[in-house]
Amino acid sequence: MMEHVKALTIKGVMTIAGLYLVLGLGFNVSFITILAITVILGVISYLVGDLLLYPKTTNMVASTADVGLSIIIIAIVGSMMGSPDQSSWLSAGVLAGIVLGAGEFFFHYYIAKKPELRASFIK
């Protein structure tokens, strides 16, 4: 259990930093919106991308899926919490997704070195 908490903490710090750089500085999105996106995206992408998809595929496939998931979640949550202008959220999501996808690529190496993370979830 503690390994999942540690992994989620690492992922959370990485995600909030990436989202702040792109959404906060680049698109002037509020910190509360960035925090909400971080929590929602972090939980969903950890379960789907890191624990389910990555062990069954390659790092590139899982990282690409994380980019797509980031774009979708940023566009949906962002338009719910901020401006309803879907096109600007989609643009922000694409840029942030690429940044987060690069971080996810390296995060998967951490996951790969921790077989206990996958063993407790996938059987």
Side-chain angles (χ1 to χ4, degrees), residues 78-91:
S79 63
M80 289 171 53
M81 293 190 69
S83 163
D85 180 14
Q86 199 67 17
S87 64
S88 63
W89 280 109
L90 195 55
S91 299

Side-chain angles (χ1 to χ4, degrees), residues 31-122:
F31 185 75
I32 295 297
T33 302
I34 292 170
L35 186 60
I37 292 170
T38 297
V39 171
I40 294 166
L41 179 59
V43 170
I44 293 172
S45 71
Y46 184 68
L47 293 173
V48 174
D50 300 328
L51 297 182
L52 290 175
L53 188 60
Y54 175 57
K56 296 178 183 179
T57 63
T58 65
N59 190 356
M60 188 58 73
V61 169
S63 297
T64 302
D66 284 327
V67 170
L69 190 59
S70 296
I71 293 168
I72 292 167
I73 290 176
I74 290 167
I76 291 171
V77 175
S79 63
M80 289 171 53
M81 293 190 69
S83 163
D85 180 14
Q86 199 67 17
S87 64
S88 63
W89 280 109
L90 195 55
S91 299
V94 169
L95 290 173
I98 292 168
V99 169
L100 295 179
E104 286 290 333
F105 186 81
F106 294 103
F107 181 69
H108 292 153
Y109 287 112
Y110 172 78
I111 296 291
K113 292 180 182 179
K114 303 288 183 178
E116 61 274 12
L117 290 174
R118 294 185 319 276
S120 65
F121 198 79
I122 298 172

Side-chain angles (χ1 to χ4, degrees), residues 3-52:
E3 285 298 326
H4 288 291
V5 171
K6 184 177 178 184
L8 278 167
T9 301
I10 292 168
K11 185 178 188 78
V13 169
M14 176 187 72
T15 302
I16 202 162
L19 289 178
Y20 180 75
L21 286 173
V22 175
L23 300 180
L25 298 178
F27 288 86
N28 203 28
V29 173
S30 73
F31 185 75
I32 295 297
T33 302
I34 292 170
L35 186 60
I37 292 170
T38 297
V39 171
I40 294 166
L41 179 59
V43 170
I44 293 172
S45 71
Y46 184 68
L47 293 173
V48 174
D50 300 328
L51 297 182
L52 290 175

